[in-house]
Structure formats: structure tokens, C-alpha cells
């Protein structure tokens, strides 16, 4: 009983609508990622769920209970902050058991739970240290420990990995996901990093200007972006959007090939070698397009190449509304195969 | 290491000359500050200590008397009176003004209407010169037609000579100094509070901590460096502030409001006894150094600095 539901929730700061009529559901035991560029309202949405901000309109329920007007403590949630929000004057152990002390949990139980949590997050040998004596990754673990010792069914995370280096971020990503599944928590995870969203989420909610742009599984967002915005946001590098006449066509870089006698003439602008593959940045009728090629590509900047892709890989968007055109994509495919 | 040095004397000499130049550089950089400190702090202190061991004759010649002046001081009832007064003055002003400063700072740190005005109002007494403050409060305390006695009149109570009565004079001075100092200390607390991350409060509230619990276990411990700083300042001020005595009481009645520094001033410039004034000054210096030692040697190590 820990599903989270937002029903037509809004929050404004003066004239700015930070969260504009949002409805979503995080199923019990699932990990929902709120994804979007900075200022899109994802953090505000999380703070509304936590009760750190009060909603102007709409209702929020956790486990079927309406919590819209409840204080953060009454919502029985835990939260990890972007800054970790560790208490600098308290030791690691005291930071982790802070909430247990507040709730006057007995000493014996406190110690037992601290031992268990310290083992889970791998901090057993650092319990006497102060946060300032820890590395970034270790601080992150303390924040995690403090969140899971409460044994709350709901855990909220506000960009928890944004202060870590790339390698550690990769490790912690896997660890947080494993922990969430092992403890069966319902987790809402805010990030602007689409890699985190794609690798961790059961469901991704992509936000833009306080509204939900698309709500679906990572696979759906990748394979069937509902708008050009989603298409441009998801994928590294993201989907190419090319204007052809009055059509807006999207093609993933990995679906484009460099072939002699391809349909589209392009000029190579730059080549990025990533090792396993190379990203070739080209120019097609004055529009940029990136192509992912396997291995160490030998294409040179300034070279003229011809590109080709299968019509089945084309995504079509309405140039005015930027919404996905479902039927015309299929028609388009028929048209190309006929031509 | 010695073997190595013996086998290669040239690098060693170079290293030694480099170390020498480093030392010279360091001393040159320290020189301006050192000159000022020695000229205006260390030398006067030593001169005062020396002066307290001599007495000056009318013809200007100095006679060594050893610790005779200290003996006379120990037998001087006014010295003891001033010291005890100073103790009560410190005890009366320091904890209350710090507590008040903290409460005001927490209060005006909130997001509310008229916050800027309230901060300014609390800070105003600090901006006023002590002489002006003493004159304002002199009016409050004036018997019969002063503000305080007029207030008493409303309740049918008779006039009271607040500053003329040994039982009330110290209390009156303490209230005034608290009024003057609390706003100044508030500024430090306010600055410290604004340095604290709001995330900490939010994290505590998610864990279910009440406001008071959060203040007690998070905010107050994190403000300790400020509290220490403010407390040291308050102690020094309680020995340093004497301007108001000149205006309001001149140490009276019957030395009931004499403070140590005011007594030193009187001895030196009214009684023209500079060697006894030097003796008293040495006591004041010893007291203040003891406080500084306590701060740097003990309290600093027990406080969390960020």
C-alpha cells in the first residue's frame, strides 16, 4: 500500500506556474523517474509529494490516503537531497539514526537497525566519522542510509547523483536500483540525466515547463517519442530531427548508415570516436544530423558522404504542434516503399 | 641522510640558502603587522607592567617599589567593589543579550512582511553612540518626570530615584546595555543563520523533528561558533563599556555602579595616580587574557566549525 498518485496538481510562484495540472501514478514497489531540463518543475513536483511545498490545487495520495494537507513527517516518506543535507556536526551514525531518535525508538532497536543499514550501504567502518571527513560517494551513502533506516515504503530522491563523478554515478545508479528492488520501496527519482532515467526507471515522466510531456516506460520514450521534444531529449546523441518539405522527420543516429548510393547527400563536419562506436556529425541541406557508426570510423571531416535509413525507422512529427503523427508514418513508409 | 649530504655538499648549501631566503621573505611579509602590533599592543603592555612596579615622585623620578602597589590594591575596598560590580554587570548583560539576540535573529530570519523594517529596528540601538544612548535612558530613569516614573504614576506608585539608589542602579545599567548590545549580536546570528542550508531543516522535518527539536539538535549546535564569538565580544564589552557611567552615574552612588575600567580612568585622570592605574590595568589585562586563552585553548576544540 504505497502507490503514489497525483491528481491535477498545480503549484505557482507568483505568475510562474512551476507545476501545471499534473497527474501521474507511481505503482507500488516501482521506480518512477521525473525527467526534464532544469526549471521544468520536476523538483517542485517531488517537493509537493514530500510535503515540503503545499499544492495550490489537486490532490496527492500515498497508499490510498489523501496526504495533500499533511506535514512531511505525517506522510511517512524518506528523502535524499541533492546536497545530501547531512548534519555536519553529527557523526555518520548519528546522522543515520537521527529520525529514530526523533521518534524515540529504543536504544537496542536503534543499534540493531543501524548495524543492518550500515552493512547495506557499506559504511560499517566509518560510523564515527563526521561528514566532512568523507568522500562524495561516502556522503551519498550516508544520505541513503538515513533514508532507508526509517523503513518508509516511499523514498524520494532529488538528483542524488549529480554531485558525483561519472564512474561513481554509474556504480551508485546500479546500487540504488538494486536497493529499491530488494526493499520493495516505491521510489520517485528526479534527474536531468536521461541515462539515469533510461537505466533505472520502471516508468519515466518527462516534464517540460511544468507539464508532462510524456509518461511511459523507458522503451516507449525511446522507441515511440510522443513529441519532438521527447525525441530531442532522449538518447545520446538524441534523435535527429530533419525538416523535409512540410514534414518533420526523426531518425535515431544508430539507424542511419553511410553507404555509397544512399538517398541523402551530406557533408561530414566532425567525428567523435567513442571506442566501441563513432559519432559522425554531418550536415544535410544545412541541417545537422548525427550518425552512429560501429567501431573506429575512418570518415574524415569535410568529406562528402551519402546517408541512408530504412523508412520503418522514421518517426514523423507535425511541424506546427511537434506531436507524433502515428498514421502518416505508416503511410510514409508505404509511400517510400512504393517509390 | 648525513652520508648523502657529505657526498654532495653543493646541493645542501643551495638548499640551506634557499631556506634562509624563505625565512627572510616570511619575516618581511610579517613586518608591517608585527611593527604595528609591537608598537601599539605588546610594548604598551610591557610598559604598563613595568610601570606598575614603580611609583612616580612629584619631581618626575621613578622609585622601584616592587609589588607594593599590588598589596595596596588588595587592601583597596573600592577595587574589590569595582571587580564584584563588574562580575554582576557581566553576568547580568551577557547571557540575556545573547539569548535575546538569538531569539530576534531566528524571528527576523523568517520570511515575513516588514522583515527589513524589523531588522533595522533591532539594529538601531547599535548605531547610536553610547553617549546618546546614555542620555536617552537618563531621561527614562529620571525621578518623578522620567518615562519610567510616569508609567509608575499611572498605577498610583510614587517616584523612585532609579540611578540614585544603590539597589537599583546596577539593574538599570544592565537593562540599558542589553538594549544596546542585543541588536549588534543579532546581526552575527542572522548572518550565521543565513549560511545554514535550508535543506537541513527540511531533512529534519521529513524525519518528523519538531521545530524546537531541530533548533536544539541542529540549528543551535551549528551556531556555536557564532555564539562563542559573540560571547567573547560580550565579555570584553562588559569590561570595556564605561561611557555611560560618565554620563549617568559617575560610578555612584557610593560606588554601587563603579566598573573596573571606570575606576582605572578615575585613578589615572582624576586622582593622577598613574602607577596605581597601571597596577589595576594589569589586573584587567590578566582577566581578558585568561578569557582569550579559554577561547583558543579549550572552547575552540569543542565546537564544530564548518
Amino acid at each position: 500500500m504505497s502507490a503514489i498518485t497525483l491528481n491535477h496538481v498545480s503549484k505557482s510562484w507568483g505568475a510562474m506556474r512551476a507545476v501545471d495540472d499534473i497527474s501521474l501514478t507511481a505503482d507500488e514497489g516501482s521506480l518512477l523517474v521525473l525527467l526534464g531540463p532544469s526549471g521544468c518543475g520536476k523538483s517542485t513536483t517531488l517537493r509537493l509529494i514530500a510535503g515540503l511545498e503545499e499544492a495550490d490545487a489537486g490532490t496527492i495520495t500515498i497508499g490510498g490516503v489523501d496526504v495533500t494537507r499533511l506535514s512531511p513527517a505525517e506522510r511517512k516518506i524518506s528523502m535524499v537531497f541533492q546536497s545530501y543535507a547531512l548534519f555536519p556536526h553529527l557523526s555518520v551514525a548519528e546522522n543515520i539514526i537521527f529520525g529514530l531518535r526523533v521518534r524515540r525508538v529504543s536504544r537496542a532497536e536503534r543499534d540493531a537497525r543501524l548495524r543492518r543499514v550500515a552493512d547495506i550501504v557499506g559504511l560499517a567502518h566509518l560510523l564515527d566519522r563526521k561528514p566532512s571527513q568523507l568522500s562524495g560517494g561516502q556522503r551519498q551513502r550516508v544520505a541513503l542510509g538515513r533514508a532507508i533506516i526509517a523503513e518508509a515504503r516511499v523514498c524520494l530522491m532529488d538528483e542524488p547523483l549529480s554531485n558525483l563523478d561519472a564512474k561513481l554515478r554509474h556504480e551508485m545508479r546500479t546500487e540504488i536500483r538494486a536497493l529499491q528492488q530488494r526493499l520493495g520501496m516505491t521510489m520517485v527519482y528526479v534527474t536531468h540525466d536521461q541515462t539515469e532515467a533510461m537505466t533505472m526507471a520502471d516508468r519515466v515522466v518527462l516534464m517540460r515547463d511544468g507539464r508532462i510531456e510524456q509518461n511511459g516506460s523507458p522503451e516507449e520514450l525511446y522507441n515511440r517519442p510522443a513529441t519532438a521534444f521527447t525525441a530531442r531529449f532522449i538518447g545520446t546523441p538524441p534523435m535527429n530531427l530533419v525538416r523535409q518539405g512540410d514534414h518533420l522527420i526523426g531518425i535515431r543516429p544508430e539507424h542511419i548508415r553511410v553507404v555509397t548510393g544512399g538517398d541523402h547527400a551530406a557533408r561530414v563536419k566532425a567525428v567523435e570516436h567513442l571506442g566501441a562506436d563513432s559519432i559522425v556529425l554531418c550536415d544535410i541541406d544545412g541541417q545537422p544530423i548525427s550518425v552512429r557508426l560501429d567501431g573506429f570510423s575512418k570518415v574524415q571531416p569535410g568529406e562528402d558522404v551519402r546517408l541512408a535509413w530504412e523508412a520503418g525507422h522514421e518517426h514523423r512529427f507535425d511541424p506546427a504542434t511537434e506531436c507524433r503523427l502515428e498514421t502518416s508514418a505508416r503511410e510514409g513508409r508505404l509511400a517510400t516503399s512504393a517509390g | 641522510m648525513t652520508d648523502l649530504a657529505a657526498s654532495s655538499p653543493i646541493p645542501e648549501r643551495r638548499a640551506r640558502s634557499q631556506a634562509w631566503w624563505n625565512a627572510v621573505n616570511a619575516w618581511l611579509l610579517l613586518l608591517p603587522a608585527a611593527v604595528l602590533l609591537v608598537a601599539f599592543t605588546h610594548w604598551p603592555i610591557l610598559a604598563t607592567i613595568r610601570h606598575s612596579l614603580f611609583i612616580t615622585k612629584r619631581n618626575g623620578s621613578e622609585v622601584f617599589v616592587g609589588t607594593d602597589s599590588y598589596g595596596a590594591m588588595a587592601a583597596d575596598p573600592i577595587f574589590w567593589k569595582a571587580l564584584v560590580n563588574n562580575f554582576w554587570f557581566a553576568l547580568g548583560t551577557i547571557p540575556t543579550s545573547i539569548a535575546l539576540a538569538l531569539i530576534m535573529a531566528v524571528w527576523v530570519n523568517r520570511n515575513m512582511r516588514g522583515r527589513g523594517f524589523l531588522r533595522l529596528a533591532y539594529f538601531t540601538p547599535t548605531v547610536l553612540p553610547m553617549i546618546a544612548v546614555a542620555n536617552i535612558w537618563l531621561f527614562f530613569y529620571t525621578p518623578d518626570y522620567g518615562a519610567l516614573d510616569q508609567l509608575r504614576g499611572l498605577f498610583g506608585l510614587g517616584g523612585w530615584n532609579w540611578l540614585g539608589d544603590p539597589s537599583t542602579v546596577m539593574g538599570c545599567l544592565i537593562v540599558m546595555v542589553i538594549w544596546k548590545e542585543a541588536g549588534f549580536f543579532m546581526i552575527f546570528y542572522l548572518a550565521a543563520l543565513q549560511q545554514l542550508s535550508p535543506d537541513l531543516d527540511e531533512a529534519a522535518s521529513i524525519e518528523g523533528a519538531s521545530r524546537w527539536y531541530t533548533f536544539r539538535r541542529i540549528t543551535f549546535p551549528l551556531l556555536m561558533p557564532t555564539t562563542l564569538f559573540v560571547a567573547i565580544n560580550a565579555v570584553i564589552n562588559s569590561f570595556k563599556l564605561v561611557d555611560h557611567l560618565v554620563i549617568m552615574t559617575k560610578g555612584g552612588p557610593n560606588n554601587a555602579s563603579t566598573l573596573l575600567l571606570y575606576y582605572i580612568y578615575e585613578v589615572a585622570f582624576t586622582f593622577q595616580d598613574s602607577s596605581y592605574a597601571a597596577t589595576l590595568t594589569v589586573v584587567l589585562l590578566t582577566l581578558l587574557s585568561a578569557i582569550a586563552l579559554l577561547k583558543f585553548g579549550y572552547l575552540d576544540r569543542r565546537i564544530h566549525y564548518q
Side-chain angles (χ1 to χ4, degrees), chain A residues 228-250:
Chain A
F229 177 80
T230 309
R232 270 191 293 256
F233 201 84
I234 305 282
T236 37
M239 186 183 282
N240 299 297
L241 289 171
V242 183
R243 216 172 264 275
Q244 287 191 337
D246 54 350
H247 294 291
L248 188 61
I249 295 169

PDB file of all heavy atoms in Angstrom, chain A residues 228-250:
ATOM      1  N   ALA A 228       8.291  15.920 -30.492  1.00  0.00           N
ATOM      2  CA  ALA A 228       9.655  16.206 -30.950  1.00  0.00           C
ATOM      3  C   ALA A 228      10.553  16.541 -29.766  1.00  0.00           C
ATOM      4  O   ALA A 228      11.742  16.255 -29.778  1.00  0.00           O
ATOM      5  CB  ALA A 228       9.617  17.368 -31.945  1.00  0.00           C
ATOM      6  N   PHE A 229       9.960  17.142 -28.690  1.00  0.00           N
ATOM      7  CA  PHE A 229      10.742  17.478 -27.507  1.00  0.00           C
ATOM      8  C   PHE A 229      11.318  16.215 -26.865  1.00  0.00           C
ATOM      9  O   PHE A 229      12.500  16.141 -26.553  1.00  0.00           O
ATOM     10  CB  PHE A 229       9.871  18.238 -26.504  1.00  0.00           C
ATOM     11  CG  PHE A 229      10.582  18.557 -25.229  1.00  0.00           C
ATOM     12  CD1 PHE A 229      11.457  19.632 -25.151  1.00  0.00           C
ATOM     13  CD2 PHE A 229      10.402  17.766 -24.100  1.00  0.00           C
ATOM     14  CE1 PHE A 229      12.120  19.918 -23.983  1.00  0.00           C
ATOM     15  CE2 PHE A 229      11.063  18.049 -22.923  1.00  0.00           C
ATOM     16  CZ  PHE A 229      11.933  19.127 -22.853  1.00  0.00           C
ATOM     17  N   THR A 230      10.464  15.197 -26.712  1.00  0.00           N
ATOM     18  CA  THR A 230      10.929  13.915 -26.162  1.00  0.00           C
ATOM     19  C   THR A 230      12.023  13.345 -27.058  1.00  0.00           C
ATOM     20  O   THR A 230      13.059  12.869 -26.573  1.00  0.00           O
ATOM     21  CB  THR A 230       9.761  12.915 -26.071  1.00  0.00           C
ATOM     22  OG1 THR A 230       8.687  13.531 -25.396  1.00  0.00           O
ATOM     23  CG2 THR A 230      10.178  11.662 -25.345  1.00  0.00           C
ATOM     24  N   ALA A 231      11.781  13.394 -28.357  1.00  0.00           N
ATOM     25  CA  ALA A 231      12.750  12.843 -29.300  1.00  0.00           C
ATOM     26  C   ALA A 231      14.108  13.516 -29.149  1.00  0.00           C
ATOM     27  O   ALA A 231      15.144  12.859 -29.160  1.00  0.00           O
ATOM     28  CB  ALA A 231      12.228  13.031 -30.724  1.00  0.00           C
ATOM     29  N   ARG A 232      14.077  14.839 -28.951  1.00  0.00           N
ATOM     30  CA  ARG A 232      15.329  15.587 -28.819  1.00  0.00           C
ATOM     31  C   ARG A 232      15.989  15.364 -27.469  1.00  0.00           C
ATOM     32  O   ARG A 232      17.172  15.588 -27.299  1.00  0.00           O
ATOM     33  CB  ARG A 232      15.065  17.084 -29.004  1.00  0.00           C
ATOM     34  CG  ARG A 232      15.195  17.545 -30.440  1.00  0.00           C
ATOM     35  CD  ARG A 232      15.198  19.064 -30.519  1.00  0.00           C
ATOM     36  NE  ARG A 232      13.897  19.596 -30.136  1.00  0.00           N
ATOM     37  CZ  ARG A 232      12.996  20.059 -31.008  1.00  0.00           C
ATOM     38  NH1 ARG A 232      13.267  20.078 -32.288  1.00  0.00           N
ATOM     39  NH2 ARG A 232      11.841  20.514 -30.604  1.00  0.00           N
ATOM     40  N   PHE A 233      15.188  14.954 -26.458  1.00  0.00           N
ATOM     41  CA  PHE A 233      15.726  14.849 -25.104  1.00  0.00           C
ATOM     42  C   PHE A 233      16.334  13.478 -24.820  1.00  0.00           C
ATOM     43  O   PHE A 233      17.318  13.363 -24.107  1.00  0.00           O
ATOM     44  CB  PHE A 233      14.625  15.142 -24.085  1.00  0.00           C
ATOM     45  CG  PHE A 233      15.168  15.536 -22.745  1.00  0.00           C
ATOM     46  CD1 PHE A 233      15.522  16.849 -22.496  1.00  0.00           C
ATOM     47  CD2 PHE A 233      15.356  14.591 -21.742  1.00  0.00           C
ATOM     48  CE1 PHE A 233      16.045  17.223 -21.279  1.00  0.00           C
ATOM     49  CE2 PHE A 233      15.889  14.959 -20.513  1.00  0.00           C
ATOM     50  CZ  PHE A 233      16.237  16.274 -20.284  1.00  0.00           C
ATOM     51  N   ILE A 234      15.741  12.427 -25.403  1.00  0.00           N
ATOM     52  CA  ILE A 234      16.141  11.065 -25.065  1.00  0.00           C
ATOM     53  C   ILE A 234      17.148  10.533 -26.091  1.00  0.00           C
ATOM     54  O   ILE A 234      16.953  10.694 -27.291  1.00  0.00           O
ATOM     55  CB  ILE A 234      14.916  10.125 -25.025  1.00  0.00           C
ATOM     56  CG1 ILE A 234      13.848  10.668 -24.078  1.00  0.00           C
ATOM     57  CG2 ILE A 234      15.322   8.705 -24.674  1.00  0.00           C
ATOM     58  CD1 ILE A 234      14.106  10.459 -22.629  1.00  0.00           C
ATOM     59  N   GLY A 235      18.194   9.876 -25.592  1.00  0.00           N
ATOM     60  CA  GLY A 235      19.208   9.273 -26.462  1.00  0.00           C
ATOM     61  C   GLY A 235      20.482  10.088 -26.456  1.00  0.00           C
ATOM     62  O   GLY A 235      20.448  11.307 -26.334  1.00  0.00           O
ATOM     63  N   THR A 236      21.638   9.391 -26.517  1.00  0.00           N
ATOM     64  CA  THR A 236      22.924  10.095 -26.624  1.00  0.00           C
ATOM     65  C   THR A 236      23.647   9.604 -27.857  1.00  0.00           C
ATOM     66  O   THR A 236      24.109   8.468 -27.865  1.00  0.00           O
ATOM     67  CB  THR A 236      23.824   9.839 -25.399  1.00  0.00           C
ATOM     68  OG1 THR A 236      23.628   8.494 -24.991  1.00  0.00           O
ATOM     69  CG2 THR A 236      23.538  10.767 -24.273  1.00  0.00           C
ATOM     70  N   PRO A 237      23.822  10.378 -28.856  1.00  0.00           N
ATOM     71  CA  PRO A 237      23.178  11.671 -29.066  1.00  0.00           C
ATOM     72  C   PRO A 237      21.683  11.498 -29.322  1.00  0.00           C
ATOM     73  O   PRO A 237      21.267  10.395 -29.674  1.00  0.00           O
ATOM     74  CB  PRO A 237      23.896  12.218 -30.299  1.00  0.00           C
ATOM     75  CG  PRO A 237      24.418  11.031 -31.005  1.00  0.00           C
ATOM     76  CD  PRO A 237      24.673   9.993 -29.988  1.00  0.00           C
ATOM     77  N   PRO A 238      20.892  12.540 -29.146  1.00  0.00           N
ATOM     78  CA  PRO A 238      19.442  12.382 -29.300  1.00  0.00           C
ATOM     79  C   PRO A 238      19.039  12.164 -30.758  1.00  0.00           C
ATOM     80  O   PRO A 238      19.874  12.189 -31.660  1.00  0.00           O
ATOM     81  CB  PRO A 238      18.890  13.708 -28.774  1.00  0.00           C
ATOM     82  CG  PRO A 238      19.999  14.667 -28.931  1.00  0.00           C
ATOM     83  CD  PRO A 238      21.266  13.898 -28.765  1.00  0.00           C
ATOM     84  N   MET A 239      17.732  11.945 -30.911  1.00  0.00           N
ATOM     85  CA  MET A 239      17.209  11.694 -32.257  1.00  0.00           C
ATOM     86  C   MET A 239      17.436  12.901 -33.169  1.00  0.00           C
ATOM     87  O   MET A 239      17.332  14.040 -32.730  1.00  0.00           O
ATOM     88  CB  MET A 239      15.703  11.407 -32.146  1.00  0.00           C
ATOM     89  CG  MET A 239      15.059  10.989 -33.435  1.00  0.00           C
ATOM     90  SD  MET A 239      13.280  10.747 -33.244  1.00  0.00           S
ATOM     91  CE  MET A 239      13.200   9.150 -32.461  1.00  0.00           C
ATOM     92  N   ASN A 240      17.789  12.621 -34.419  1.00  0.00           N
ATOM     93  CA  ASN A 240      17.913  13.705 -35.398  1.00  0.00           C
ATOM     94  C   ASN A 240      16.529  14.108 -35.870  1.00  0.00           C
ATOM     95  O   ASN A 240      15.690  13.255 -36.152  1.00  0.00           O
ATOM     96  CB  ASN A 240      18.702  13.226 -36.614  1.00  0.00           C
ATOM     97  CG  ASN A 240      20.093  12.803 -36.229  1.00  0.00           C
ATOM     98  OD1 ASN A 240      20.877  13.600 -35.760  1.00  0.00           O
ATOM     99  ND2 ASN A 240      20.387  11.518 -36.404  1.00  0.00           N
ATOM    100  N   LEU A 241      16.296  15.398 -35.910  1.00  0.00           N
ATOM    101  CA  LEU A 241      15.029  15.878 -36.456  1.00  0.00           C
ATOM    102  C   LEU A 241      15.347  16.681 -37.703  1.00  0.00           C
ATOM    103  O   LEU A 241      16.097  17.660 -37.650  1.00  0.00           O
ATOM    104  CB  LEU A 241      14.299  16.735 -35.432  1.00  0.00           C
ATOM    105  CG  LEU A 241      13.728  15.951 -34.250  1.00  0.00           C
ATOM    106  CD1 LEU A 241      13.211  16.886 -33.193  1.00  0.00           C
ATOM    107  CD2 LEU A 241      12.641  14.997 -34.701  1.00  0.00           C
ATOM    108  N   VAL A 242      14.806  16.222 -38.814  1.00  0.00           N
ATOM    109  CA  VAL A 242      15.123  16.839 -40.096  1.00  0.00           C
ATOM    110  C   VAL A 242      13.834  17.317 -40.740  1.00  0.00           C
ATOM    111  O   VAL A 242      12.844  16.583 -40.779  1.00  0.00           O
ATOM    112  CB  VAL A 242      15.826  15.827 -41.026  1.00  0.00           C
ATOM    113  CG1 VAL A 242      16.214  16.497 -42.340  1.00  0.00           C
ATOM    114  CG2 VAL A 242      17.057  15.248 -40.347  1.00  0.00           C
ATOM    115  N   ARG A 243      13.850  18.550 -41.161  1.00  0.00           N
ATOM    116  CA  ARG A 243      12.682  19.103 -41.823  1.00  0.00           C
ATOM    117  C   ARG A 243      12.789  18.785 -43.318  1.00  0.00           C
ATOM    118  O   ARG A 243      13.788  19.109 -43.957  1.00  0.00           O
ATOM    119  CB  ARG A 243      12.646  20.618 -41.615  1.00  0.00           C
ATOM    120  CG  ARG A 243      11.278  21.198 -41.439  1.00  0.00           C
ATOM    121  CD  ARG A 243      11.401  22.658 -41.045  1.00  0.00           C
ATOM    122  NE  ARG A 243      11.324  22.815 -39.600  1.00  0.00           N
ATOM    123  CZ  ARG A 243      10.169  22.915 -38.946  1.00  0.00           C
ATOM    124  NH1 ARG A 243       9.024  22.851 -39.595  1.00  0.00           N
ATOM    125  NH2 ARG A 243      10.175  23.067 -37.637  1.00  0.00           N
ATOM    126  N   GLN A 244      11.788  18.080 -43.835  1.00  0.00           N
ATOM    127  CA  GLN A 244      11.803  17.765 -45.274  1.00  0.00           C
ATOM    128  C   GLN A 244      10.489  18.259 -45.842  1.00  0.00           C
ATOM    129  O   GLN A 244       9.436  17.674 -45.584  1.00  0.00           O
ATOM    130  CB  GLN A 244      11.934  16.266 -45.494  1.00  0.00           C
ATOM    131  CG  GLN A 244      13.340  15.760 -45.183  1.00  0.00           C
ATOM    132  CD  GLN A 244      13.555  14.348 -45.656  1.00  0.00           C
ATOM    133  OE1 GLN A 244      12.597  13.591 -45.829  1.00  0.00           O
ATOM    134  NE2 GLN A 244      14.812  13.997 -45.878  1.00  0.00           N
ATOM    135  N   GLY A 245      10.545  19.358 -46.551  1.00  0.00           N
ATOM    136  CA  GLY A 245       9.314  19.961 -47.045  1.00  0.00           C
ATOM    137  C   GLY A 245       8.475  20.412 -45.867  1.00  0.00           C
ATOM    138  O   GLY A 245       8.959  21.128 -44.997  1.00  0.00           O
ATOM    139  N   ASP A 246       7.229  19.965 -45.780  1.00  0.00           N
ATOM    140  CA  ASP A 246       6.411  20.347 -44.643  1.00  0.00           C
ATOM    141  C   ASP A 246       6.315  19.200 -43.635  1.00  0.00           C
ATOM    142  O   ASP A 246       5.381  19.110 -42.859  1.00  0.00           O
ATOM    143  CB  ASP A 246       5.015  20.796 -45.104  1.00  0.00           C
ATOM    144  CG  ASP A 246       4.343  19.733 -45.970  1.00  0.00           C
ATOM    145  OD1 ASP A 246       5.047  18.760 -46.341  1.00  0.00           O
ATOM    146  OD2 ASP A 246       3.157  19.874 -46.259  1.00  0.00           O
ATOM    147  N   HIS A 247       7.283  18.281 -43.683  1.00  0.00           N
ATOM    148  CA  HIS A 247       7.332  17.189 -42.698  1.00  0.00           C
ATOM    149  C   HIS A 247       8.485  17.411 -41.724  1.00  0.00           C
ATOM    150  O   HIS A 247       9.496  17.989 -42.082  1.00  0.00           O
ATOM    151  CB  HIS A 247       7.549  15.841 -43.392  1.00  0.00           C
ATOM    152  CG  HIS A 247       6.400  15.436 -44.252  1.00  0.00           C
ATOM    153  ND1 HIS A 247       5.176  15.082 -43.731  1.00  0.00           N
ATOM    154  CD2 HIS A 247       6.296  15.344 -45.590  1.00  0.00           C
ATOM    155  CE1 HIS A 247       4.363  14.785 -44.730  1.00  0.00           C
ATOM    156  NE2 HIS A 247       5.003  14.943 -45.880  1.00  0.00           N
ATOM    157  N   LEU A 248       8.292  16.912 -40.497  1.00  0.00           N
ATOM    158  CA  LEU A 248       9.386  16.891 -39.529  1.00  0.00           C
ATOM    159  C   LEU A 248       9.663  15.422 -39.245  1.00  0.00           C
ATOM    160  O   LEU A 248       8.810  14.706 -38.725  1.00  0.00           O
ATOM    161  CB  LEU A 248       8.976  17.625 -38.253  1.00  0.00           C
ATOM    162  CG  LEU A 248      10.074  17.852 -37.219  1.00  0.00           C
ATOM    163  CD1 LEU A 248      11.197  18.698 -37.805  1.00  0.00           C
ATOM    164  CD2 LEU A 248       9.504  18.548 -35.982  1.00  0.00           C
ATOM    165  N   ILE A 249      10.860  14.981 -39.654  1.00  0.00           N
ATOM    166  CA  ILE A 249      11.166  13.555 -39.585  1.00  0.00           C
ATOM    167  C   ILE A 249      12.243  13.311 -38.540  1.00  0.00           C
ATOM    168  O   ILE A 249      13.209  14.073 -38.451  1.00  0.00           O
ATOM    169  CB  ILE A 249      11.635  13.043 -40.958  1.00  0.00           C
ATOM    170  CG1 ILE A 249      10.475  13.167 -41.947  1.00  0.00           C
ATOM    171  CG2 ILE A 249      12.119  11.607 -40.882  1.00  0.00           C
ATOM    172  CD1 ILE A 249      10.897  12.958 -43.354  1.00  0.00           C
ATOM    173  N   GLY A 250      12.048  12.287 -37.724  1.00  0.00           N
ATOM    174  CA  GLY A 250      13.042  11.941 -36.713  1.00  0.00           C
ATOM    175  C   GLY A 250      13.675  10.592 -37.017  1.00  0.00           C
ATOM    176  O   GLY A 250      12.968   9.636 -37.344  1.00  0.00           O
TER     177      GLY A 250
END
